[in-house]
Amino acid sequence: RGTNRINRGGIISLPQLFQPLHSTKESNANTIDIDDDDTFLSSTTTNINRVSISKPPIHWTVPNFKVGYQDPITGKWFDEDGPRNGPPQNYWRQSADEREYNDDMAAADAVLSSFDIESKVQLLEHRCSVRRPSLSRKMLGVWAPLMLGGSCMAYNDRPSDDGGMVEVPFLVEIRRRGGRRFGPKNHYGIFDLKLERGEELAVVVTTTTMNTDTDTGGDDDDDEGSSMMISANIKADEKNEPVDLGKVIGREDGGADADTTDHPQLLVGGITYLSDYAMVQRRQDGTIDFFLRVDRNYLGA
């Protein structure tokens, strides 16, 4: 299925630039490490403000079931306990989850490698099922900008054996200004409440892992230890029109007289694709903004 490959032990492998989840430790840097097993980002301050991320984990629509895989050579089925008799229950849903994940990660890899970006992104846009993305709860969360205005934002100067981590200059968090709200619980779990037209949202740009471990909401000044670069309030609107938040400027060494890195304008809106893992925006000139989700508190949709 997709780009998945299964070895003789029935273990799936995903050929991609990202590697399994872990936090990074820099011997010559101030690093905020997250010790949980499911960590997939850390905040690292070196001579340039950067945030290190790895891929988000796959989000399964049906919780608490064993994921099954079929060996393409022998035809035998496996799960985490070993061989099994046939596919698991809800296998059709598992397959759909895997396809979405693989397609999103393939687009992220294309952005990072600067190869075949347009075709990979168009594939996502053509199958986008979110009718009103600017009112979707999937907008909420913490995002890493891999590309803005057609310019790659990820740094590619890390060692090739660095565990598949990617560095970006900042994170973008979109959250309800009045605090997190949840919809009614169903048999799939509990989720953030759908956005309402005119609802106030806070957009915060930071160089640290603000609001990735705990709930969000409240005053923007309460994020202890974060290096805030932009804080703005916008309103949810079904028109999906881009809102210009200005340029994000990062200092090279933090000093008052330091040189600055001038990034492209940061926009929110013009969303053409939105999923559990990625958000794509198109600017008026057709250039791409590509964001990867790095929010461990994301509950899905």
Side-chain angles (χ1 to χ4, degrees), residues 130-156:
V130 180
R131 291 181 53 196
R132 295 184 290 181
S134 55
L135 290 181
S136 173
R137 57 192 169 202
K138 290 185 178 183
M139 273 187 63
L140 303 173
V142 185
W143 300 92
L146 301 187
M147 173 170 283
L148 290 180
S151 298
C152 184
M153 303 298 292
Y155 297 100
N156 294 314

Side-chain angles (χ1 to χ4, degrees), residues 14-214:
L14 302 177
Q16 53 194 14
L17 298 183
F18 293 115
Q19 297 298 319
L21 317 178
H22 67 280
S23 60
T24 59
K25 295 183 179 180
E26 300 285 345
S27 59
N28 296 319
N30 298 321
T31 304
I32 301 174
D33 292 317
I34 304 173
D35 295 329
D36 298 37
D37 292 338
D38 58 351
T39 296
F40 58 101
L41 59 84
S42 65
S43 177
T44 303
T45 303
T46 58
N47 61 320
I48 302 175
N49 286 329
R50 300 181 179 184
V51 183
S52 297
I53 66 167
S54 63
K55 69 178 179 68
I58 191 167
H59 177 80
W60 302 112
T61 301
V62 182
N64 303 320
F65 76 101
K66 293 181 180 180
V67 178
Y69 302 101
Q70 186 179 32
D71 189 311
I73 299 177
T74 65
K76 294 181 179 179
W77 287 88
F78 299 87
D79 60 24
E80 62 186 30
D81 296 328
R84 59 174 296 124
N85 295 323
Q89 288 184 328
N90 298 307
Y91 179 68
W92 65 272
R93 184 66 259 181
Q94 174 195 318
S95 299
D97 291 340
E98 289 176 334
R99 283 193 298 271
E100 178 178 282
Y101 183 82
N102 289 339
D103 288 347
D104 285 8
M105 293 305 106
D109 286 347
V111 170
L112 292 172
S113 62
S114 299
F115 178 75
D116 202 24
I117 298 174
E118 187 64 34
S119 65
K120 294 294 185 183
V121 169
Q122 283 186 12
L123 178 65
L124 301 184
E125 292 173 326
H126 289 163
R127 68 170 177 79
C128 183
S129 60
V130 180
R131 291 181 53 196
R132 295 184 290 181
S134 55
L135 290 181
S136 173
R137 57 192 169 202
K138 290 185 178 183
M139 273 187 63
L140 303 173
V142 185
W143 300 92
L146 301 187
M147 173 170 283
L148 290 180
S151 298
C152 184
M153 303 298 292
Y155 297 100
N156 294 314
D157 55 359
R158 295 185 73 107
S160 59
D161 61 347
D162 197 54
M165 302 297 288
V166 175
E167 291 185 327
V168 294
F170 54 83
L171 298 177
V172 179
E173 181 180 17
I174 304 174
R175 66 195 189 199
R176 282 186 157 97
R177 183 160 174 76
R180 198 166 188 179
R181 299 168 60 195
F182 300 99
K185 184 177 181 180
N186 59 34
H187 60 285
Y188 289 126
I190 187 169
F191 306 101
D192 286 283
L193 190 66
K194 180 181 177 181
L195 294 174
E196 298 176 356
R197 183 178 182 182
E199 187 172 0
E200 289 191 349
L201 304 176
V203 182
V204 181
V205 179
T206 179
T207 57
T208 59
T209 56
M210 177 189 60
N211 286 338
T212 54
D213 288 316
T214 58

